[in-house]
Amino acid sequence: MKATPAERTKGVCSPPSIPLPAVRVDASVEMVGVLKRASEPVCICDFTAAFALSQPTISHHVGKLREAGLVEVTKSGIWAYYRLARNLDVRTRAVLDALV
């Protein structure tokens, strides 16, 4: 069971229960796929649990996605939660549907 923001414990991650594609692609694209299929925002520590990448590398990829306007973040205490930007235009969503 995935912890809600109020139930989280520092240093304890809960990986997303979302299946990732079998084919390895760029981590940023995989992260977009996770966010696209997520029913709720995903904590950055959940990405570190799901990917064989360090937290700084995950933060770098998520930062690039934020710069591109593809994701947005909400913060709750020490936790940062990411989701696909709600204001993506139809063409951008179509591209994301084709990629992930």
Side-chain angles (χ1 to χ4, degrees):
M1 185 164 116
K2 192 169 185 171
T4 62
E7 299 170 344
R8 295 205 74 109
T9 303
K10 185 175 181 179
V12 178
C13 295
S14 49
S17 60
I18 303 161
L20 298 174
V23 177
R24 298 295 299 168
V25 293
D26 180 80
S28 295
V29 174
E30 285 187 281
M31 288 177 201
V32 169
V34 167
L35 293 171
K36 184 173 178 260
R37 292 184 293 274
S39 60
E40 59 188 58
V42 178
C43 179
I44 196 136
C45 76
D46 296 334
F47 282 128
T48 60
F51 294 95
L53 299 170
S54 67
Q55 185 275 326
T57 300
I58 297 287
S59 292
H60 169 78
H61 284 287
V62 174
K64 293 295 182 184
L65 293 171
R66 284 182 70 194
E67 287 175 17
L70 296 175
V71 298
E72 53 193 35
V73 63
T74 55
K75 293 187 179 184
S76 177
I78 63 170
W79 306 109
Y81 294 90
Y82 295 87
R83 67 173 167 252
L84 283 181
R86 291 173 274 191
N87 64 346
L88 294 176
D89 65 40
V90 175
R91 292 173 292 180
T92 303
R93 287 208 179 264
V95 169
L96 294 179
D97 287 343
L99 291 175
V100 292

